[in-house]
Amino acid sequence: MIGRFLRALAAHRRLAAALAAVLALGAIGFGLMGSIDSQDVATVEVKPGRFVREVEARGSLKAVKATPILVPPESGRQQKVAFLAKDGAFVKAGETVVEFDPYDAEREAADGQSDLDAARAKIDKASAEGGKNQAALGLDRDVAQEQLDRAETYKLTDEKLFSRHQIIESQLDKELFQARADVAQRKLAASGKLSSTERALGEIDASKAQLKVSIAEKGLRSLKIQAPHDGLLMLERNWRGEMPSVGDTLWPGQKVAEVPDLARLEARVFVLEADGAGLKVGQKARFVIEGRPGEEYEASVSRVEPLAKTRDWQSPVKYFETVLSLARDAAGDLKPGQKVRATLRLDEADAVLTIPRGAVFDKDGKRVVYRKNGAGFAPVEVEAERRSISHLVVEKGLAAGDVIALRAPTVRRALTTSGAPAAGPGT
């Protein structure tokens, strides 16, 4: 029992010694901690200077004016590409740039000609049968009319010479021949109308067939598209950036390519929606051609799309499509389709107070900087609406010559037991 008591007493003494050591280390650390002298805080003096806000955008060159090359609308149907000049090739006026497969047009022309021949045969047949029927019915009418005339001439009416039975029979013969003549005349008239109707139907079929032949012939004539003038051939890209190729099916009126006017070019670039604040017509810009470092070209914003749109249906990122106009003498050896990297100047000002963005802090819901005040710093609320990636323009709160901290001076630091600095809590 005494042994257990002695062991417990020894454990208690060891615990007390460890606690004393911890307290001693804490006292040492507390002695090392203290307020940071203002000389230990990085500062910057507020001076008037030039403010520039620029954003980058990427895109490509295109011609201001270009002659479009379209699938001839006269064909009236889709056509399959059999030959296509290379993208970027130099073409001369009258040179074939697109040629379509003639199979469908030739087949339609043959079908149309066959229908036209059948319609014309139908018209000839209707005319021949109509003439034959007219002749036969005309003969029947003439015979009936001759019988009627004879009955009129030899009509028995004298009751002294002829019996009543003969007189009645003569009257009945006259009425019969009259009816035959009337029927023959009506048949002849009906036959003429029927023959005219059949010929008219044949003419309609012939017109339809002729139209089909005409369309097919126009399609055959439009199988080749020629360059309207000398220039550089630029094939049209679809919304996926793909160009037409041999084997593709194109529709009437669809744009295949264009021959641009190389004398005037412009750059179409895309500015991120987040960077587009303040983007407007007339702002200065400059760009370089990818793959040609060291050559920079001046430009200006000539058009800005009012709404930001996605460039790829698979990505939600939106861009403002922006057109940059080049100086008239800047085109030089530039070509449409070349990729460009542009820098747009959205804002600039001289003799304004600018400070680094890292010197501004949020304190109690306000935007403040820490201005040097004697041996310490005091928070000062500032107003700064214009900003670039690295700097802000201070409209209110600071004056030239003020010195501000580049980090919050309320941050405390302490030394670890190894002597390395460790960040402490801020106010």
Side-chain angles (χ1 to χ4, degrees):
M1 183 174 179
I2 295 174
R4 286 198 302 270
F5 174 75
L6 292 176
R7 287 194 296 271
L9 182 60
H12 179 71
R13 287 176 178 175
R14 289 194 298 270
L15 180 61
L19 181 59
V22 171
L23 291 175
L25 289 174
I28 294 173
F30 182 79
L32 292 174
M33 294 182 61
S35 298
I36 298 176
D37 190 85
S38 61
Q39 295 179 353
D40 297 332
V41 179
T43 60
V44 65
E45 182 181 352
V46 179
K47 297 180 181 180
R50 181 171 176 77
F51 172 78
V52 176
R53 175 178 169 239
E54 296 180 334
V55 296
E56 288 193 353
R58 293 178 181 269
S60 59
L61 292 177
K62 61 175 294 187
V64 176
K65 292 183 179 180
T67 304
I69 296 179
L70 310 177
V71 178
E74 296 83 6
S75 62
R77 58 175 179 80
Q78 60 184 13
Q79 301 203 65
K80 185 177 292 185
V81 178
F83 166 78
L84 188 63
K86 291 183 178 180
D87 182 48
F90 185 82
V91 295
K92 295 183 177 181
E95 182 179 344
T96 300
V97 294
V98 185
E99 189 171 353
F100 298 104
D101 185 358
Y103 174 77
D104 291 336
E106 291 175 349
R107 177 176 55 81
E108 290 183 2
D111 292 344
Q113 188 62 48
S114 177
D115 293 343
L116 181 61
D117 294 340
R120 288 173 176 171
K122 182 178 180 180
I123 294 173
D124 294 340
K125 180 181 178 181
S127 298
E129 291 182 350
K132 177 182 177 181
N133 292 334
Q134 287 289 99
L137 293 174
L139 180 60
D140 292 343
R141 181 200 59 188
D142 294 341
V143 171
Q145 186 64 42
E146 184 180 355
Q147 290 176 341
L148 177 61
D149 294 342
R150 188 181 299 114
E152 285 284 351
T153 303
Y154 300 105
K155 182 179 180 180
L156 304 180
T157 57
D158 192 348
E159 295 179 355
K160 295 180 179 180
L161 298 176
F162 304 100
S163 64
R164 182 175 178 79
H165 176 73
Q166 290 175 325
I167 293 173
I168 293 174
E169 185 176 3
S170 175
Q171 182 65 29
L172 291 176
D173 288 342
K174 176 186 174 183
E175 292 177 357
L176 175 61
F177 295 144
Q178 181 66 50
R180 285 180 178 177
D182 292 341
V183 170
Q185 183 63 37
R186 287 197 297 270
K187 282 185 177 182
L188 183 61
S191 176
K193 292 181 179 180
L194 181 60
S195 178
S196 298
T197 301
E198 289 181 353
R199 286 196 302 272
L201 292 175
E203 292 290 345
I204 293 174
D205 291 341
S207 299
K208 291 168 62 177
Q210 185 62 54
L211 179 61
K212 189 175 181 180
V213 171
S214 299
I215 293 175
E217 289 177 349
K218 288 180 180 179
L220 289 172
R221 289 194 299 269
S222 61
L223 289 176
K224 293 183 179 181
I225 304 178
Q226 298 174 335
H229 55 79
D230 295 353
L232 202 66
L233 182 70
M234 303 297 298
L235 297 181
E236 183 73 6
R237 272 77 170 169
N238 61 14
W239 63 275
R240 292 189 296 269
E242 300 172 350
M243 298 182 295
S245 58
V246 174
D248 288 351
T249 298
L250 306 180
W251 294 90
Q254 181 177 345
K255 186 177 179 180
V256 185
E258 64 181 14
V259 181
D261 179 6
L262 301 181
R264 294 192 60 191
L265 300 179
E266 62 186 13
R268 185 177 66 172
V269 299
F270 298 88
V271 179
L272 276 171
E273 183 181 22
D275 296 335
L279 182 62
K280 59 184 178 181
V281 174
Q283 292 172 332
K284 295 181 180 179
R286 61 186 186 278
F287 67 89
V288 296
I289 305 298
E290 293 187 0
R292 295 167 63 176
E295 298 182 20
E296 192 171 75
Y297 301 88
E298 297 295 328
S300 62
V301 177
S302 60
R303 188 172 71 251
V304 179
E305 289 294 327
L307 297 177
K309 301 176 183 178
T310 58
R311 295 183 62 187
D312 187 349
W313 64 274
Q314 295 178 329
S315 173
V317 181
K318 293 184 178 182
Y319 300 83
F320 286 104
E321 183 178 333
T322 306
V323 177
L324 306 180
S325 294
L326 282 67
R328 289 185 177 272
D329 57 348
D333 58 347
L334 300 181
K335 297 180 180 180
Q338 289 180 313
K339 300 297 182 182
V340 303
R341 186 173 67 254
T343 302
L344 287 71
R345 183 164 293 183
L346 304 187
D347 193 5
E348 59 180 331
D350 292 318
V352 293
L353 299 180
T354 61
I355 59 174
R357 296 188 68 162
V360 181
F361 305 91
D362 288 330
K363 183 178 178 62
D364 299 330
K366 298 179 181 179
R367 184 180 297 171
V368 300
V369 298
Y370 289 94
R371 183 173 58 190
K372 190 172 183 180
N373 185 8
F377 293 89
V380 177
E381 184 179 0
V382 294
E383 293 182 4
E385 299 299 331
R386 301 162 71 182
R387 66 189 67 187
S388 66
I389 297 177
S390 59
H391 284 75
L392 300 173
V393 177
V394 178
E395 284 88 9
K396 186 178 179 181
L398 293 177
D402 289 343
V403 178
I404 60 174
L406 292 178
R407 65 176 177 83
T410 54
V411 174
R412 301 285 182 117
R413 290 188 178 180
L415 291 178
T416 63
T417 55
S418 62
T427 58

